[in-house]
Every structure is written in C-alpha cells, then in structure tokens.
Amino acid sequence: VAGPAGDAARALLDRIASAPNFRAEIPGARWRVDRRAAWRVTSTEACYAALRAAGVPFRPRPAPPGGFVPSPVELLGPIGGVWFRMRHDAQPFLVSCALAKRLLGVAELAASLGIHGIEVLSAYRDTPPTSFHTGGLGLDLSRFWTAGGWLDVAEDFVATPEHRTCEDPRPTGRAARLLRALACRLWRSRRFSSVLTPNYNAGHRDHLHLDARPADARLYLR
C-alpha cells in the first residue's frame, strides 16, 4: 500500500531480509507454507476503521524513531471481553495496527479456554534490530488469568524440546494442558506467522511469542 504504513512495512522487511535465519537452525521446528496466511499492510485509515468497527479501544500514536512500525496504536482496554495489560506498568501497550487487529483472534481463543486476562511481557521495542518487535508486529505473552488463578508460562508450561511442539505427549497438569492448548490453537489458526514456546530456546522460557510478517506465507512453530 502507498503511504506511511506501506513505507514503514517495506523499511522493516528490507532491514530484516539480510538478517541470518536463526530459526532454520532450531531442531524440531515445524514450517508450513499456506498462501492464505500471507497478508499485506493496509492504509492507516483503513486499519483504524477496522479496529473501530471491531470495538477495539485504541488511540493512534506517533511513529517511534526509525519509522519501522506501520500505523502504531496504543491499546487501552479489553479486547473481545479479555483484558490485556503490560507486565511493566510504565510501558504503553504499543503495537502496529495490523497486529492489534489480530488480538481479536487471541482473545477469542483465550476465552474458549477460560482465560479472562493476558499479561504482556513485551510488545513494541526497539531491539534487537532483526526482531519483528521493532515493527510493532511481535508480542510476548507471559501469564494468563483464569477463574482458577494465573497460568504462568515460566512455571507451568512443560517444555518438551525432544518432541515437535503440538505433537508431543499431552501434559498431565491442568495449567500445562491449557497453555499448550492455547499455543497449538494459535498455530492452527494461521493468524500469526510464528508461534514460539519454551521449546524454542532458553530466551523464550517465560513466554509465548507471536509475530505477524507481511507478505510472507510461511508459518513457523517451535
């Protein structure tokens, strides 16, 4: 798309295109190509209109330095009946509008598992330069609130790096089953280009990472 949103997306893709593909080196990962999963950034006006029509509470925000975030927005309240909050209260919940639209799907899947709230460890950030977080298109989810209390990825997710994620033995504990079910439903939904769990590496031991990559039909799970 022409305009600032398209310019930001192209700048982000140009910068990341030359980065090493570390994910290709991770054993046990699953790649899938699905042309239906490829998407393009829309104009800022069209994206804002879609958020308003869906009832997503937000306000437009200035582009962070670098110009890599297509149509940045700050999310201000519950989405689809599920509340989201930043783990560090001083940080605004800042993402690209394109990612904000996908949070409706996260809320729907979470609610189907009895999850009422989600703690966000990281949304937009300016490092590392090869991350889709720098484009507001990456999200790290660390804890999930249910009627029975918190589901904490660091404490409750049962990592099984010797198996492919979503094909590994079913966990026995309730919290572990719910967390793995959420990760696998997100993967099967094709709403996100990547779903990374603690099976990925030590740096992802305490959260589920999601990202949405424009113009890319590849899907990745680990």
Side-chain angles (χ1 to χ4, degrees):
V1 66
D7 292 343
R10 283 184 287 273
L12 176 68
L13 293 174
D14 286 345
R15 183 173 69 173
I16 291 177
S18 60
N21 185 3
F22 295 112
R23 293 181 185 179
E25 302 172 5
I26 301 293
R30 181 175 178 183
W31 292 87
R32 183 170 69 188
V33 175
D34 188 332
R35 297 299 173 190
R36 296 171 295 175
W39 60 279
R40 294 187 181 279
V41 169
T42 62
S43 71
T44 296
E45 294 75 15
C47 195
Y48 287 174
L51 289 187
R52 294 187 186 102
V56 176
F58 77 98
R59 64 180 175 189
R61 288 293 300 269
F68 298 110
V69 183
S71 308
V73 299
E74 181 181 355
L75 298 171
L76 302 173
I79 299 170
V82 175
W83 54 259
F84 292 76
R85 77 177 190 195
M86 295 298 295
R87 184 167 185 172
H88 304 290
D89 292 337
Q91 296 178 347
F93 190 4
L94 180 67
V95 296
S96 167
C97 183
L99 183 64
K101 290 194 298 184
R102 284 160 176 73
L103 293 183
L104 285 163
V106 175
E108 177 185 348
L109 293 173
S112 73
L113 293 169
I115 294 169
H116 308 296
I118 298 177
E119 185 177 78
V120 180
L121 178 63
S122 178
Y124 164 78
R125 62 173 187 261
D126 58 8
T127 58
T130 56
S131 170
F132 274 84
H133 281 281
T134 64
L137 293 168
L139 200 63
D140 294 337
L141 310 178
S142 59
R143 296 200 302 168
F144 304 85
W145 179 252
T146 72
W150 284 107
L151 307 177
D152 189 313
V153 176
E155 297 179 5
D156 298 319
F157 193 98
V158 176
T160 54
E162 68 276 14
H163 297 281
R164 296 181 76 178
T165 305
C166 300
E167 298 176 12
D168 50 5
R170 187 169 183 263
T172 56
R174 170 186 170 275
R177 288 199 305 271
L178 286 173
L179 287 173
R180 199 188 79 161
L182 177 61
C184 295
R185 290 185 188 188
L186 288 166
W187 155 251
R188 296 185 186 113
S189 76
R190 301 192 303 274
R191 290 185 173 99
F192 294 93
S193 305
S194 302
V195 177
L196 308 183
T197 74
N199 285 333
Y200 183 70
N201 63 15
H204 291 75
R205 182 65 189 90
D206 61 352
H207 64 274
L208 304 180
H209 167 91
L210 310 174
D211 63 55
R213 301 187 300 271
D216 194 339
R218 295 174 300 168
L219 303 171
Y220 182 89
L221 171 70
R222 186 61 179 119

Coordinates of all heavy atoms in Angstrom, one line a residue, residues 154-221:
A154 N 6.4 -19.4 32.6 CA 7.7 -19.8 33.2 C 7.6 -21.0 34.2 O 8.4 -21.8 34.2 CB 8.3 -18.6 33.9
E155 N 6.5 -21.0 34.9 CA 6.3 -22.0 35.9 C 5.5 -23.2 35.4 O 5.7 -24.4 35.9 CB 5.6 -21.4 37.1 CG 6.4 -20.4 37.8 CD 5.7 -19.8 39.0 OE1 4.6 -20.3 39.4 OE2 6.2 -18.8 39.6
D156 N 4.5 -23.0 34.5 CA 3.5 -24.1 34.2 C 3.7 -24.7 32.8 O 3.2 -25.8 32.7 CB 2.1 -23.5 34.3 CG 1.8 -22.9 35.7 OD1 2.2 -23.6 36.6 OD2 1.2 -21.9 35.8
F157 N 4.4 -24.1 31.9 CA 4.5 -24.7 30.6 C 5.5 -25.8 30.7 O 6.6 -25.6 31.1 CB 4.9 -23.7 29.5 CG 4.8 -24.2 28.1 CD1 3.7 -23.9 27.3 CD2 5.8 -25.0 27.5 CE1 3.6 -24.3 26.0 CE2 5.6 -25.5 26.2 CZ 4.5 -25.1 25.5
V158 N 5.1 -27.0 30.2 CA 6.0 -28.2 30.3 C 6.8 -28.2 28.9 O 6.2 -28.6 27.9 CB 5.3 -29.5 30.5 CG1 6.2 -30.7 30.4 CG2 4.6 -29.4 31.9
A159 N 8.0 -27.9 28.9 CA 8.8 -27.9 27.7 C 9.2 -29.3 27.3 O 9.5 -30.1 28.2 CB 10.1 -27.1 27.9
T160 N 9.1 -29.6 26.1 CA 9.4 -31.0 25.5 C 10.3 -30.8 24.3 O 9.9 -31.1 23.2 CB 8.1 -31.7 25.2 OG1 7.3 -31.0 24.3 CG2 7.4 -32.1 26.5
P161 N 11.5 -30.3 24.4 CA 12.3 -30.0 23.2 C 12.7 -31.2 22.5 O 13.2 -31.1 21.3 CB 13.5 -29.3 23.8 CG 13.6 -29.7 25.3 CD 12.2 -29.9 25.7
E162 N 12.5 -32.4 23.0 CA 12.9 -33.6 22.3 C 11.7 -34.0 21.3 O 11.9 -35.0 20.5 CB 13.1 -34.8 23.3 CG 11.9 -35.3 24.1 CD 11.7 -34.4 25.3 OE1 12.2 -33.3 25.5 OE2 10.9 -34.9 26.2
H163 N 10.6 -33.3 21.4 CA 9.5 -33.6 20.5 C 9.1 -32.3 19.7 O 9.5 -31.2 20.1 CB 8.3 -34.0 21.3 CG 8.4 -35.3 22.1 ND1 8.3 -36.5 21.5 CD2 8.7 -35.5 23.4 CE1 8.5 -37.5 22.4 NE2 8.7 -36.9 23.6
R164 N 8.4 -32.5 18.6 CA 7.9 -31.4 17.9 C 6.7 -30.8 18.7 O 5.8 -31.6 19.2 CB 7.4 -31.8 16.5 CG 8.5 -32.2 15.6 CD 8.1 -32.6 14.2 NE 7.8 -31.4 13.4 CZ 7.4 -31.5 12.1 NH1 7.2 -32.7 11.6 NH2 7.1 -30.4 11.5
T165 N 6.6 -29.5 18.9 CA 5.6 -28.9 19.6 C 4.2 -29.2 18.9 O 4.1 -29.2 17.7 CB 5.8 -27.3 19.6 OG1 7.1 -27.1 20.2 CG2 4.8 -26.6 20.5
C166 N 3.2 -29.4 19.8 CA 1.9 -29.8 19.4 C 1.8 -31.3 18.9 O 0.7 -31.7 18.5 CB 1.3 -28.9 18.4 SG 1.1 -27.2 18.9
E167 N 2.9 -32.0 18.9 CA 2.9 -33.4 18.6 C 3.5 -34.2 19.7 O 3.8 -35.4 19.6 CB 3.7 -33.7 17.3 CG 3.1 -33.0 16.1 CD 3.9 -33.2 14.8 OE1 4.8 -34.1 14.8 OE2 3.6 -32.6 13.8
D168 N 3.8 -33.5 20.8 CA 4.5 -34.1 22.0 C 3.4 -34.7 22.9 O 2.2 -34.6 22.7 CB 5.3 -33.1 22.7 CG 4.5 -31.8 23.1 OD1 3.3 -31.8 22.8 OD2 5.1 -30.8 23.6
P169 N 3.9 -35.5 23.9 CA 2.9 -36.1 24.8 C 2.1 -35.0 25.5 O 2.6 -34.0 25.9 CB 3.8 -36.8 25.8 CG 5.1 -37.1 25.1 CD 5.2 -35.9 24.2
R170 N 0.8 -35.3 25.8 CA -0.1 -34.4 26.4 C 0.3 -34.2 27.9 O 0.5 -35.2 28.6 CB -1.5 -34.9 26.4 CG -2.6 -34.0 26.8 CD -4.0 -34.5 26.5 NE -5.1 -33.6 26.8 CZ -5.8 -33.8 27.9 NH1 -5.5 -34.7 28.8 NH2 -6.8 -32.9 28.2
P171 N 0.5 -33.0 28.3 CA 0.8 -32.7 29.7 C -0.3 -33.2 30.7 O -1.4 -33.3 30.3 CB 1.0 -31.2 29.8 CG 1.1 -30.7 28.4 CD 0.4 -31.7 27.6
T172 N 0.1 -33.6 31.9 CA -0.9 -34.1 32.8 C -1.5 -33.0 33.7 O -2.6 -33.1 34.1 CB -0.2 -35.1 33.8 OG1 0.9 -34.5 34.4 CG2 0.3 -36.3 33.0
G173 N -0.8 -31.9 34.0 CA -1.3 -30.8 34.8 C -2.3 -29.9 34.0 O -2.1 -29.7 32.8
R174 N -3.3 -29.4 34.7 CA -4.3 -28.6 34.1 C -3.7 -27.3 33.5 O -3.9 -27.0 32.3 CB -5.3 -28.1 35.1 CG -6.3 -27.0 34.7 CD -7.2 -26.6 35.7 NE -7.9 -25.4 35.3 CZ -7.5 -24.1 35.4 NH1 -6.3 -23.9 35.9 NH2 -8.2 -23.1 35.1
A175 N -2.8 -26.6 34.2 CA -2.2 -25.4 33.7 C -1.4 -25.7 32.5 O -1.4 -24.9 31.5 CB -1.4 -24.7 34.8
A176 N -0.6 -26.7 32.5 CA 0.3 -27.1 31.4 C -0.6 -27.4 30.2 O -0.2 -27.1 29.0 CB 1.2 -28.2 31.7
R177 N -1.7 -28.2 30.4 CA -2.6 -28.5 29.3 C -3.2 -27.3 28.6 O -3.2 -27.2 27.4 CB -3.7 -29.5 29.7 CG -3.2 -30.9 30.1 CD -4.4 -31.8 30.1 NE -5.4 -31.4 31.0 CZ -5.5 -31.7 32.3 NH1 -4.6 -32.5 32.8 NH2 -6.5 -31.3 33.0
L178 N -3.6 -26.3 29.4 CA -4.2 -25.1 28.9 C -3.2 -24.3 28.1 O -3.6 -23.8 27.0 CB -4.9 -24.3 30.0 CG -6.1 -24.9 30.6 CD1 -6.6 -24.1 31.9 CD2 -7.3 -24.9 29.6
L179 N -2.0 -24.2 28.6 CA -1.0 -23.4 27.9 C -0.6 -24.0 26.6 O -0.5 -23.3 25.6 CB 0.2 -23.2 28.8 CG 0.0 -22.2 30.0 CD1 1.3 -22.3 30.9 CD2 -0.2 -20.8 29.5
R180 N -0.5 -25.3 26.6 CA -0.1 -25.9 25.3 C -1.3 -25.9 24.4 O -1.1 -25.7 23.2 CB 0.3 -27.4 25.5 CG 1.1 -27.9 24.3 CD 1.4 -29.3 24.3 NE 0.2 -30.1 24.0 CZ 0.3 -31.4 23.6 NH1 1.5 -32.0 23.5 NH2 -0.8 -32.1 23.2
A181 N -2.5 -26.0 24.9 CA -3.7 -25.9 24.0 C -3.8 -24.6 23.4 O -4.1 -24.4 22.2 CB -4.9 -26.3 24.8
L182 N -3.5 -23.5 24.1 CA -3.5 -22.2 23.6 C -2.5 -22.0 22.5 O -2.8 -21.5 21.4 CB -3.3 -21.1 24.7 CG -3.3 -19.7 24.2 CD1 -4.6 -19.3 23.6 CD2 -3.0 -18.7 25.4
A183 N -1.3 -22.4 22.8 CA -0.2 -22.3 21.8 C -0.6 -23.0 20.5 O -0.4 -22.5 19.4 CB 1.1 -22.8 22.3
C184 N -1.1 -24.2 20.6 CA -1.4 -25.0 19.4 C -2.6 -24.5 18.7 O -2.6 -24.5 17.4 CB -1.6 -26.5 19.8 SG -0.1 -27.3 20.5
R185 N -3.6 -23.9 19.4 CA -4.7 -23.3 18.7 C -4.3 -22.1 17.9 O -4.8 -21.8 16.9 CB -5.8 -23.0 19.7 CG -6.5 -24.3 20.2 CD -7.7 -24.0 21.1 NE -8.2 -25.2 21.8 CZ -9.3 -25.2 22.5 NH1 -10.1 -24.1 22.6 NH2 -9.7 -26.4 23.0
L186 N -3.4 -21.3 18.5 CA -2.9 -20.1 17.8 C -2.1 -20.5 16.6 O -2.3 -19.9 15.5 CB -2.0 -19.3 18.8 CG -2.6 -18.6 19.9 CD1 -1.6 -18.1 20.9 CD2 -3.4 -17.4 19.3
W187 N -1.4 -21.6 16.7 CA -0.6 -22.1 15.5 C -1.6 -22.5 14.4 O -1.5 -22.2 13.2 CB 0.3 -23.3 15.9 CG 0.6 -24.3 14.9 CD1 0.2 -25.5 14.8 CD2 1.5 -24.1 13.8 NE1 0.7 -26.2 13.7 CE2 1.6 -25.3 13.0 CE3 2.3 -23.0 13.3 CZ2 2.3 -25.5 11.9 CZ3 3.1 -23.2 12.1 CH2 3.1 -24.4 11.5
R188 N -2.6 -23.3 14.8 CA -3.6 -23.8 13.8 C -4.5 -22.7 13.2 O -5.0 -22.9 12.1 CB -4.4 -24.9 14.4 CG -3.6 -26.1 14.9 CD -4.5 -27.3 15.4 NE -3.6 -28.3 15.9 CZ -3.6 -28.7 17.2 NH1 -4.3 -28.0 18.1 NH2 -2.8 -29.7 17.6
S189 N -4.6 -21.6 13.9 CA -5.5 -20.6 13.4 C -4.9 -19.8 12.2 O -5.6 -19.1 11.5 CB -5.7 -19.5 14.5 OG -4.6 -18.7 14.8
R190 N -3.6 -19.9 12.0 CA -2.9 -19.2 10.9 C -3.0 -17.7 11.0 O -2.8 -17.0 10.1 CB -3.4 -19.6 9.5 CG -3.3 -21.1 9.2 CD -3.6 -21.4 7.8 NE -4.9 -20.9 7.3 CZ -6.0 -21.6 7.5 NH1 -6.0 -22.8 8.0 NH2 -7.1 -21.1 7.1
R191 N -3.3 -17.2 12.2 CA -3.4 -15.7 12.4 C -2.0 -15.1 12.6 O -1.8 -13.9 12.5 CB -4.2 -15.4 13.7 CG -5.7 -15.7 13.5 CD -6.5 -15.2 14.7 NE -8.0 -15.3 14.5 CZ -8.7 -16.3 14.9 NH1 -8.2 -17.3 15.6 NH2 -10.0 -16.3 14.7
F192 N -1.0 -16.0 13.0 CA 0.3 -15.5 13.2 C 1.4 -16.3 12.4 O 1.2 -17.5 12.3 CB 0.6 -15.6 14.7 CG -0.2 -14.7 15.5 CD1 -1.4 -15.1 16.1 CD2 0.1 -13.3 15.7 CE1 -2.2 -14.3 16.8 CE2 -0.7 -12.5 16.4 CZ -1.9 -13.0 17.0
S193 N 2.4 -15.6 12.0 CA 3.4 -16.2 11.2 C 4.3 -17.1 12.1 O 4.8 -18.1 11.6 CB 4.3 -15.1 10.6 OG 3.6 -14.2 9.8
S194 N 4.5 -16.7 13.3 CA 5.3 -17.5 14.2 C 4.6 -17.7 15.6 O 4.0 -16.8 16.1 CB 6.7 -16.9 14.5 OG 7.4 -16.6 13.3
V195 N 4.7 -18.9 16.1 CA 4.3 -19.2 17.5 C 5.5 -19.9 18.1 O 5.9 -21.0 17.7 CB 3.1 -20.1 17.5 CG1 2.7 -20.5 19.0 CG2 1.9 -19.5 16.8
L196 N 6.1 -19.2 19.0 CA 7.3 -19.8 19.7 C 6.9 -20.0 21.2 O 6.4 -19.2 21.9 CB 8.5 -18.8 19.7 CG 8.9 -18.3 18.3 CD1 10.1 -17.4 18.4 CD2 9.1 -19.4 17.3
T197 N 7.3 -21.2 21.7 CA 7.0 -21.6 23.0 C 8.4 -21.8 23.7 O 9.5 -21.7 23.1 CB 6.3 -23.0 23.1 OG1 7.1 -24.0 22.7 CG2 5.1 -22.9 22.1
P198 N 8.4 -22.2 25.0 CA 9.7 -22.6 25.7 C 10.4 -23.7 25.0 O 11.6 -23.8 25.3 CB 9.2 -23.0 27.1 CG 8.0 -22.2 27.3 CD 7.3 -22.2 26.0
N199 N 9.8 -24.4 24.0 CA 10.6 -25.4 23.3 C 11.6 -24.8 22.3 O 12.5 -25.5 21.8 CB 9.7 -26.3 22.5 CG 8.9 -27.3 23.3 OD1 9.4 -27.7 24.4 ND2 7.7 -27.7 22.9
Y200 N 11.5 -23.5 22.1 CA 12.3 -22.8 21.1 C 13.8 -22.6 21.6 O 14.7 -23.1 21.0 CB 11.7 -21.4 20.7 CG 12.5 -20.7 19.7 CD1 12.5 -21.1 18.3 CD2 13.2 -19.5 20.0 CE1 13.2 -20.5 17.4 CE2 13.9 -18.8 19.0 CZ 13.9 -19.3 17.7 OH 14.6 -18.6 16.7
N201 N 13.9 -21.9 22.7 CA 15.3 -21.8 23.3 C 15.1 -21.2 24.7 O 14.0 -20.8 25.1 CB 16.2 -20.9 22.4 CG 15.7 -19.5 22.3 OD1 14.8 -19.0 23.0 ND2 16.3 -18.8 21.3
A202 N 16.2 -21.0 25.4 CA 16.2 -20.6 26.8 C 15.6 -19.1 26.9 O 15.0 -18.8 27.9 CB 17.5 -20.6 27.4
G203 N 15.8 -18.3 25.8 CA 15.3 -17.0 25.9 C 13.8 -16.9 25.8 O 13.3 -15.8 26.1
H204 N 13.2 -18.0 25.5 CA 11.7 -18.0 25.4 C 11.1 -18.9 26.5 O 10.0 -19.3 26.3 CB 11.2 -18.4 24.0 CG 11.5 -17.4 22.9 ND1 12.8 -17.3 22.4 CD2 10.7 -16.6 22.2 CE1 12.8 -16.3 21.5 NE2 11.5 -15.9 21.4
R205 N 11.8 -19.1 27.5 CA 11.4 -20.0 28.6 C 10.2 -19.4 29.4 O 9.4 -20.2 29.9 CB 12.5 -20.3 29.6 CG 12.1 -21.3 30.7 CD 11.8 -22.6 30.1 NE 11.2 -23.6 31.1 CZ 9.9 -23.7 31.3 NH1 9.0 -22.9 30.6 NH2 9.5 -24.6 32.1
D206 N 10.0 -18.1 29.4 CA 9.0 -17.5 30.2 C 7.8 -16.8 29.4 O 7.0 -16.1 30.0 CB 9.6 -16.5 31.2 CG 10.3 -15.3 30.4 OD1 10.4 -15.4 29.2 OD2 10.7 -14.3 31.1
H207 N 7.7 -17.1 28.1 CA 6.6 -16.5 27.4 C 6.3 -17.3 26.1 O 7.1 -18.1 25.7 CB 6.9 -15.1 27.1 CG 8.1 -14.9 26.2 ND1 9.4 -14.8 26.6 CD2 8.2 -14.8 24.8 CE1 10.2 -14.7 25.6 NE2 9.5 -14.6 24.5
L208 N 5.1 -17.0 25.6 CA 4.7 -17.4 24.2 C 5.0 -16.2 23.3 O 4.4 -15.1 23.6 CB 3.3 -17.8 24.1 CG 2.8 -19.0 25.1 CD1 1.3 -19.2 24.9 CD2 3.7 -20.2 24.9
H209 N 5.7 -16.4 22.2 CA 6.0 -15.3 21.3 C 5.1 -15.5 20.1 O 5.1 -16.6 19.5 CB 7.5 -15.3 20.9 CG 7.7 -14.4 19.7 ND1 8.1 -13.1 19.8 CD2 7.7 -14.7 18.3 CE1 8.3 -12.6 18.6 NE2 8.0 -13.5 17.7
L210 N 4.5 -14.4 19.6 CA 3.7 -14.4 18.4 C 4.2 -13.3 17.5 O 4.6 -12.2 18.0 CB 2.2 -14.1 18.7 CG 1.6 -15.0 19.7 CD1 0.1 -14.4 20.0 CD2 1.5 -16.4 19.3
D211 N 4.3 -13.5 16.2 CA 4.6 -12.4 15.3 C 3.8 -12.6 14.0 O 3.4 -13.7 13.6 CB 6.1 -12.2 15.0 CG 6.8 -13.4 14.4 OD1 6.3 -13.8 13.3 OD2 7.8 -13.9 14.9
A212 N 3.6 -11.4 13.3 CA 2.9 -11.4 12.0 C 3.7 -10.7 11.0 O 4.0 -9.5 11.1 CB 1.5 -10.7 12.2
R213 N 4.2 -11.5 10.0 CA 5.1 -10.9 9.0 C 4.3 -10.6 7.7 O 3.8 -11.5 7.1 CB 6.2 -12.0 8.7 CG 7.0 -12.4 9.9 CD 8.2 -13.2 9.6 NE 7.8 -14.5 8.9 CZ 7.5 -15.6 9.6 NH1 7.6 -15.6 10.9 NH2 7.2 -16.7 8.9
P214 N 4.4 -9.4 7.2 CA 3.7 -9.0 6.0 C 4.2 -9.8 4.8 O 5.4 -10.1 4.7 CB 3.9 -7.5 5.9 CG 4.4 -7.1 7.2 CD 5.1 -8.2 7.8
A215 N 3.4 -10.1 3.9 CA 3.7 -10.7 2.6 C 4.6 -12.0 2.7 O 5.5 -12.2 1.9 CB 4.5 -9.6 1.7
D216 N 4.3 -12.8 3.7 CA 5.0 -14.0 3.9 C 4.0 -15.1 4.2 O 3.3 -15.1 5.2 CB 6.0 -13.8 5.1 CG 7.0 -14.9 5.2 OD1 6.8 -16.0 4.6 OD2 8.1 -14.7 5.9
A217 N 4.1 -16.1 3.4 CA 3.1 -17.3 3.5 C 3.7 -18.4 4.4 O 3.0 -19.4 4.6 CB 2.8 -17.8 2.1
R218 N 4.9 -18.2 4.9 CA 5.5 -19.2 5.8 C 4.9 -19.1 7.2 O 4.8 -18.0 7.8 CB 7.0 -19.1 5.8 CG 7.6 -19.3 4.5 CD 9.1 -19.0 4.6 NE 9.4 -17.6 5.0 CZ 10.5 -17.1 5.4 NH1 11.6 -18.0 5.5 NH2 10.7 -15.9 5.7
L219 N 4.6 -20.3 7.8 CA 4.2 -20.3 9.2 C 5.2 -21.2 10.0 O 5.7 -22.2 9.4 CB 2.8 -21.0 9.3 CG 1.7 -20.3 8.5 CD1 0.5 -21.1 8.5 CD2 1.4 -18.9 9.1
Y220 N 5.5 -20.8 11.2 CA 6.6 -21.4 12.0 C 6.1 -21.7 13.4 O 5.5 -20.9 14.0 CB 7.8 -20.5 12.0 CG 9.0 -21.0 12.7 CD1 10.0 -21.8 12.1 CD2 9.2 -20.8 14.1 CE1 11.1 -22.3 12.7 CE2 10.3 -21.3 14.8 CZ 11.2 -22.0 14.1 OH 12.4 -22.5 14.8
L221 N 6.4 -22.9 13.8 CA 6.1 -23.4 15.2 C 7.3 -24.0 15.8 O 7.9 -24.9 15.2 CB 4.9 -24.4 15.1 CG 4.6 -25.1 16.4 CD1 3.9 -24.1 17.4 CD2 3.6 -26.2 16.2

